[in-house]
Amino acid sequence: MATTTAGQKRAEAKREYDAYIAACPSRQLLDTVADKWVTLVLTALADTPLRYSELSRRIAGVSQKMLTQTLRTLERDGLVDRAVTATVPVRVDYTLTPLGESLVTVMAGVKTWAEAHMPEVQRARRRYDRR
Amino acid sequence: MATTTAGQKRAEAKREYDAYIAACPSRQLLDTVADKWVTLVLTALADTPLRYSELSRRIAGVSQKMLTQTLRTLERDGLVDRAVTATVPVRVDYTLTPLGESLVTVMAGVKTWAEAHMPEVQRARRRYDRR
DNA sequence: CTGGATCCTCCATGATACTG
DNA sequence: CAGTATCATGGAGGATCCAG
């Protein structure tokens, strides 16, 4: 039959919403910035350019796969610059682009809000959990 | 033997890092804000208080589970207020707290940055993909 | 109407081994 | 040194049924 179930309707609505959300610029920014390794790599590079091995040491818990994957997306998004020196063995340096630096600035703003208001959030949590 | 493998070392380092990251206030903020449904619920409530059923209609693609779960965490974090009216059937209204409103403000800041720079990111992506 | 409880699926992440 | 390839898994999220 051509009956449309509630589940089907919601599934369809979900697809539309997902598309709508995926198109939202701030959504895209949040998706990248909220990544654990992204923030760590960006803040690590905020101080100074680093080589691949230096990054993997500095961000001690990261696996090769995730570090590489993270660096690739950051490079693709124009946030970091990848410079290969064709010596033996190879040497690869990662630098923050101007765009990447401006992103780090925004993240600092988020940090500021968080430091200002997280204590309040934590009080709210304790209050909630104690009921 | 008491030999420590490289894998063990990284695993230990990972635990430390995870703990360190989990303690970071901005990390905690990002983790909540970056949630898809969180942003949708908050922006929906930014205009006006809404009932549960109104929310689920307005955020068309959400499942009951995720909507309830999202509202619970937001309530726990002191970002939304939950008011139950004991009629038959029950009526529950959700409102943004002052803290919640201030968070919406920050998210607007992120949105501003995104709208300003996402075109640049997308150009970078096209450039990267075309190589 | 507003959820709680269950089951199930899928994808992001990680561990491991290999290479130019 | 700086990755790529492959396989395994844990947990987030969805579908569904039930209840006050």
Side-chain angles (χ1 to χ4, degrees):
Chain A
M1 285 208 299
T3 311
T4 319
T5 69
Q8 288 174 328
K9 279 187 203 163
R10 201 177 57 238
E12 187 185 352
K14 178 169 161 38
R15 273 193 300 279
E16 292 171 16
Y17 247 73
D18 285 349
Y20 169 70
I21 294 161
C24 175
S26 56
R27 178 76 255 156
Q28 291 182 27
L29 176 61
L30 279 179
D31 283 339
T32 43
V33 169
D35 187 278
K36 187 167 81 177
W37 303 125
V38 164
T39 64
L40 290 173
V41 168
L42 287 183
T43 54
L45 291 178
D47 303 332
T48 168
L50 290 172
R51 303 180 53 178
Y52 181 90
S53 50
E54 291 172 332
L55 274 170
S56 73
R57 260 192 308 276
R58 194 131 156 187
I59 310 175
V62 70
S63 65
Q64 283 186 340
K65 178 180 176 179
M66 291 320 292
L67 181 54
T68 301
Q69 194 177 107
T70 304
L71 288 169
R72 284 295 170 283
T73 55
L74 290 179
E75 189 198 353
R76 185 171 111 98
D77 289 354
L79 298 172
V80 306
D81 195 43
R82 180 172 183 268
V84 184
T85 311
T87 53
V88 178
V90 199
R91 173 197 176 104
V92 182
D93 288 270
Y94 290 95
T95 319
L96 232 51
T97 65
L99 186 60
E101 288 180 9
S102 82
L103 178 54
V104 170
T105 305
V106 173
M107 287 167 56
V110 173
K111 186 186 168 197
T112 301
W113 189 95
E115 288 173 346
H117 294 276
M118 282 309 290
E120 205 170 338
V121 170
Q122 291 177 347
R123 274 196 301 277
R125 283 182 188 167
R126 278 195 297 274
R127 218 177 307 132
Y128 184 93
D129 293 338
R130 222 180 314 108
R131 310 181 315 183
Chain B
M1 285 213 297
T3 312
T4 319
T5 70
Q8 287 175 328
K9 279 187 204 161
R10 203 179 52 240
E12 186 185 351
K14 179 170 162 35
R15 273 192 300 277
E16 292 172 17
Y17 248 72
D18 286 350
Y20 168 71
I21 294 161
C24 176
S26 56
R27 178 76 255 157
Q28 292 181 28
L29 176 61
L30 279 179
D31 284 340
T32 43
V33 169
D35 186 279
K36 187 167 81 178
W37 303 125
V38 164
T39 63
L40 290 173
V41 168
L42 288 183
T43 55
L45 291 178
D47 303 332
T48 168
L50 290 172
R51 301 181 53 179
Y52 182 89
S53 50
E54 292 172 331
L55 274 171
S56 73
R57 260 192 307 276
R58 194 129 155 189
I59 309 177
V62 71
S63 66
Q64 284 185 344
K65 178 182 174 178
M66 290 319 293
L67 182 53
T68 302
Q69 194 177 106
T70 303
L71 288 168
R72 283 295 168 283
T73 56
L74 290 178
E75 189 197 356
R76 185 172 111 99
D77 290 354
L79 298 172
V80 306
D81 195 43
R82 180 172 184 270
V84 184
T85 312
T87 53
V88 178
V90 198
R91 172 197 175 105
V92 182
D93 287 87
Y94 290 95
T95 319
L96 231 50
T97 66
L99 186 61
E101 288 180 8
S102 83
L103 178 54
V104 170
T105 305
V106 173
M107 288 168 56
V110 172
K111 186 185 169 199
T112 301
W113 189 96
E115 289 173 345
H117 295 275
M118 281 311 289
E120 205 170 338
V121 170
Q122 291 176 348
R123 274 196 301 277
R125 283 182 187 167
R126 279 195 298 274
R127 218 178 306 131
Y128 183 94
D129 292 340
R130 222 179 315 109
R131 309 181 313 182

